[in-house]
Amino acid sequence: MHGVSYLYMIDAFKACSLPPFIPVQEQIEPDPEFPTVKFPNPEEGKSALDLSIKTANENGSTIILANDPDADRLAVAEKQPGDEWKVFTGNETGGLFGWWLWHRYRARNPNADAANVYMIASTVSSKILKSIAQKEGFNFVETLTGFKWMANKGHELMLEGKTVLFAFEEAIGFMCGTLVLDKDGVNAAVKFAELAAYLQTKGLTVNQQLNKIYDEYGYHVSRNSYYICYSQPTITAMFDRIRNYDGSNMYPKTCGLFAITDIRDLTTGYDSSTPDKKAILPTSSSCQMITFNFENGCVATLRTSGTEPKVKYYTEMCGKPGQTDWVALDAELEQLVACMVDEFMQPLKNNLVPRRD
């Protein structure tokens, strides 16, 4: 996407004996003006892939792999029946990678002890790896947001003789293996191409495989977005209101009709779920981050961005293996998100600017 990955992607596909991909000619050359997109980040929405979709349709391609300009992130899309395109979220792609890398590892190492194998995700990312790990017997580790935390945890585990297969964050950042201890969009693109090629031999689309993963490990649906706020005092007041919602130092017990079972505040270090009420993950008073665990199984986090004037929210509903009422789970999460935004973020009162898709 007007960045640096094109030549590296050519070499990577050759090295892995994959057939040549079809590039988007208008976006091959690096260009700091990014003339063909509103915003050069495929994480920001489907519009960033307009030229990719056009090129794919013209060439009969069914899979799109898109790197951001510095090639450390990967967006994936697949053509669906009816000629619609599904752009997979970072959480969905993370679940697909988790399944694929475990499948490959187990096939190549059938007698290896799963207890020595690890996957990692940031605390605001999907818990799908945790669900897969619980059933397959390997380990799942959660860290703070950012690959400095995940990669350092991976390095620490490697020094202990452990095998780290995968780490990811919902913001389409993926670390497949440990050759590069950071998110790497080129490596991830090749690994996803291998996954898609394998599924084709089984007569499956990528989206069909994602649904098979949900059938086996439980349906996981996320709703993540953000609001822009340029006023630091407004942001501070928003989070302080949550901390004193039911009185001094009393966090909310409900959000509308939804009961809250536990709250973790990584700004203050409070965690209602631990015996000593202290958070296990590292804390920082310089940024805002509160996580709510709801009685219905939803996990929701509100946090500020470390680099942009954004207040972000991350939510996920996790179904049980074999649970089939996915539409009901979708609807319940939508209702909860709307309630959380209105009650805890108060966009109108705080003059928050919504994300533009």
Side-chain angles (χ1 to χ4, degrees), residues 217-234:
Y217 302 108
Y219 181 60
H220 291 60
V221 57
S222 302
R223 294 289 181 270
N224 303 336
S225 193
Y226 61 78
Y227 284 83
I228 295 173
C229 181
Y230 295 98
S231 170
Q232 189 57 50
T234 297

Side-chain angles (χ1 to χ4, degrees), residues 96 138 140 203 242-243 269 276-277 296 299 327:
L96 286 158
F138 63 86
F140 169 72
I242 295 172
R243 296 185 179 103
D276 60 1
K277 307 303 179 186
N296 64 359
V299 179
V327 173

Side-chain angles (χ1 to χ4, degrees), residues 243 265-268 283-289 303-306:
R243 296 185 179 103
D265 188 339
L266 291 182
T267 304
T268 66
T283 62
S284 173
S285 60
S286 65
C287 60
Q288 304 283 354
M289 185 171 181
R303 66 178 283 263
T304 50
S305 169

